[in-house]
Amino acid sequence: MANSPQASPAAEKEPGRFKQIWQVLKMTVKYDKTAPWIMAAAVLVPLIIAALVSIFLPGSNALIWILTMILGLMVGVLLFMFTLNWRAERVAFGQLEGRAGATGQVLTSAMRGTWQTSEMPVAFNAKTQDAVYRAIGKPGVVILTEGSKSGTKRLLDDERRKTARILPNVPIHHFHVGTGADDVKLVKVRKTLNKLPKKLTKPEIVAVTSRLKALGSNALPIPKGIDPMRMRSSRSQMR
């Protein structure tokens, strides 16, 4: 009699939505001591406002009070989720601060919409671990450097020169990501890039991305701190 095939080990189930929220909440509260107060206020303030409205609203009755409180609770839950996402993101970026490859991880996780990003640097010095990253969006081409400013200067100049040569009419911006006085901190990368003036349309972003991909890359070594199993290629999130 033929041996029956062994049952494959059951795949681990991903945690449910509520469990995920609970895990994120615990992690956020652990590293951000002000988060519980902010999130509590996000829930309580709408409820207090709803209670006051239902009390002082002319002609209010029990039904109006119940509906108003339900509305206040819904708004409170929405604000709670928004606040949790905001504070959890700050904690996550804070944990990445100072690590090689952090800029690439923030670009691929935080930049949404028409932004074209990659977790891999477009230029990298294996000896000093200075790196250059690139993001393409409506503001044009944004070059972000990571590491020492003196060490990234040559890499930045080379990248800016190549970009300007093939895209002479496209705006090129530069920011250095770090903790110095003139640097852009990880937690402010998304806000900084989204505040830039919009110059390109969606079709132009696609065209610019294609032109820059044609530049290619010379098998860049992976910076320490970046997990090669988590590498993702450039993504396109057109809306």
Side-chain angles (χ1 to χ4, degrees):
M1 182 176 180
N3 294 330
S4 58
Q6 295 182 353
S8 59
E12 294 185 4
K13 293 183 178 180
E14 293 186 0
R17 178 62 58 87
F18 289 107
K19 189 172 182 180
Q20 289 179 347
I21 294 174
W22 176 246
Q23 291 173 345
V24 172
L25 179 60
K26 287 197 300 183
M27 183 271 293
T28 304
V29 171
K30 180 179 179 181
Y31 294 101
D32 186 352
K33 301 306 180 183
T34 62
W37 302 103
I38 298 175
M39 288 185 285
V43 176
L44 292 176
V45 169
L47 286 174
I48 293 172
I49 294 175
L52 293 175
V53 169
S54 62
I55 291 173
F56 294 103
L57 186 68
S60 61
N61 51 40
L63 178 60
I64 293 177
W65 185 86
I66 293 173
L67 294 176
T68 305
M69 294 303 295
I70 291 175
L71 178 61
L73 179 60
M74 293 174 61
V75 173
V77 171
L78 182 64
L79 290 178
F80 171 83
M81 296 303 299
F82 174 81
T83 305
L84 175 60
N85 180 71
W86 165 44
R87 303 306 292 191
E89 186 177 75
R90 289 178 63 90
V91 169
F93 290 170
Q95 298 295 308
L96 290 174
E97 195 79 60
R99 296 186 182 182
T103 301
Q105 294 184 40
V106 170
L107 285 176
T108 52
S109 63
M111 303 310 299
R112 301 181 177 90
T114 58
W115 283 99
Q116 309 289 302
T117 63
S118 174
E119 193 168 343
M120 288 295 292
V122 295
F124 177 67
N125 187 322
K127 184 177 181 180
T128 62
Q129 295 198 7
D130 297 323
V132 176
Y133 296 86
R134 184 172 62 213
I136 307 164
K138 290 184 178 180
V141 178
V142 183
I143 300 174
L144 301 102
T145 49
E146 176 186 271
S148 67
K149 290 185 178 180
S150 58
T152 57
K153 185 178 186 307
R154 182 175 179 179
L155 296 174
L156 169 64
D157 292 342
D158 289 343
E159 185 64 27
R160 184 177 295 186
R161 184 175 60 253
K162 289 188 296 183
T163 303
R165 186 177 69 248
I166 66 171
L167 299 168
N169 299 319
V170 176
I172 301 175
H173 310 272
H174 166 249
F175 297 101
H176 186 81
V177 181
T179 57
D182 299 326
D183 298 342
V184 176
K185 296 185 177 179
L186 282 175
V187 71
K188 294 185 177 180
V189 166
R190 178 172 60 187
K191 182 178 180 181
T192 300
L193 268 59
N194 285 332
K195 286 176 64 176
L196 293 170
K198 309 299 186 291
K199 300 293 184 180
L200 303 182
T201 63
K202 290 182 180 180
E204 289 172 337
I205 293 173
V206 174
V208 168
T209 303
S210 299
R211 293 289 298 275
L212 287 175
K213 282 183 178 179
L215 284 176
S217 59
N218 296 321
L220 298 174
I222 299 174
K224 292 181 181 179
I226 297 180
D227 183 356
M229 300 301 294
R230 294 181 60 252
M231 286 300 167
R232 292 169 290 192
S233 59
S234 298
R235 65 177 184 175
S236 175
Q237 295 187 343
M238 291 297 181
R239 292 182 180 175

